[in-house]
Amino acid sequence: MKRVGILLSGRGSNMVALVEAMHAGEIPAEPAIVVSDRPEAPGLERARSLGVAAAAVPRKDYRGRREEHDRAVAAVLDEAGVDIVCLAGYMRILTPWFVGHYEGRMLNIHPALLPSFPGLHGQRQALEHGVRIAGCTVHFVDAEVDHGPIVIQAAVPVLPGDDEETLSARILAQEHRIYPLALRWLAEGRLRIEGRRVVLEGEDPGLPGALVSPAPVS
Ligand code: GRF
């Protein structure tokens, strides 16, 4: 059984989706620990209420020393025996050391169809740009922000009258659907990175709708 560490800075709705999917037996993995760089993040309490250990490594204790902070976070994760790391609204730019330490076993979710609109406020960027289709992306983490090989994406329409709140809510519902699926594939050892591309090994009968990739390969 793989052990999963989840990093967050805020409310933690993606964390809840991942933990609930693991607890429901949908993913061959267990939540080991939730870690936040912000002690006041509501996600920490939500994790504890789900029976998951939660810890803060406050970024303000490490001002100007980002790698030291990353190493302290990794020490907590590794102490908890974490095999896989899921970033779930973790508002921190990671150092190359941290990215290297978890290479090939760290996922992130981003509320845009990458490579469009990386960085902050992906949903707002999409609205401002006037796109008709928005969505979310789960990808492996590499040294650049919101950039690594893409595991799965879900698309949603941008509707007339949408504002940042309504579009974000529509996207968030899809985030909660694709992140557990991506984690399941990784925990099952079925994701192979080939350059920028991710190959999913084997059929997936549970693969949701046509708006979601990758197509299963045999
Ligand atoms: C989500 O929109 C996620 O895509 C982005 O940060 C937000 C986190 O939301 N990376 P939550 O804390 O999981 O509710």
Side-chain angles (χ1 to χ4, degrees):
M1 196 75 131
K2 298 280 191 210
R3 291 175 65 76
V4 177
I6 301 170
L7 301 187
L8 54 77
S9 301
R11 68 191 163 181
S13 73
N14 278 286
M15 176 277 297
V16 171
L18 294 173
V19 168
E20 285 181 345
M22 286 187 267
H23 282 168
E26 291 164 18
I27 300 173
E30 56 194 347
I33 192 160
V34 171
V35 181
S36 179
D37 58 324
R38 292 179 55 232
E40 66 278 17
L44 288 174
E45 259 325 298
R46 290 181 89 175
R48 291 187 190 109
S49 71
L50 290 165
V52 180
V57 182
R59 64 162 76 184
K60 61 176 171 14
D61 296 352
Y62 294 84
R63 243 185 265 278
R65 294 175 291 140
R66 282 203 303 131
E67 186 173 312
E68 264 180 70
H69 180 258
D70 276 1
R71 285 182 184 270
V73 171
V76 172
L77 294 171
D78 293 348
E79 175 71 22
V82 161
D83 305 294
I84 293 172
V85 176
C86 290
L87 307 181
Y90 188 58
M91 305 302 288
R92 198 86 173 122
I93 293 177
L94 303 168
T95 58
W97 177 84
F98 195 87
V99 172
H101 190 61
Y102 296 108
E103 191 180 355
R105 54 195 185 110
M106 179 157 55
L107 298 175
N108 181 44
I109 184 144
H110 182 71
L113 291 174
L114 293 174
S116 291
F117 314 129
L120 291 176
H121 309 301
Q123 307 96 326
R124 190 189 305 168
Q125 292 185 58
L127 275 176
E128 285 171 356
H129 206 93
V131 299
R132 299 325 202 241
I133 308 272
C136 48
T137 305
V138 179
H139 64 94
F140 281 100
V141 175
D142 71 7
E144 287 176 57
V145 174
D146 301 326
H147 176 269
I150 291 169
V151 177
I152 186 167
Q153 296 183 303
V156 303
V158 178
L159 300 177
D162 261 343
D163 57 21
E164 195 177 346
E165 198 179 324
T166 56
L167 180 60
S168 297
R170 193 173 308 124
I171 293 172
L172 191 65
Q174 296 304 313
E175 295 184 33
H176 297 162
R177 181 175 172 224
I178 63 171
Y179 210 175
L181 194 51
L183 175 59
R184 171 156 78 76
W185 290 335
L186 181 60
E188 289 171 345
R190 291 170 56 198
L191 297 180
R192 205 174 63 240
I193 301 175
E194 289 181 356
R196 273 217 58 83
R197 296 169 56 90
V198 176
V199 177
L200 170 67
E201 315 225 4
E203 295 288 329
D204 195 320
L207 189 71
L211 291 179
V212 181
S213 66
V217 295
S218 51

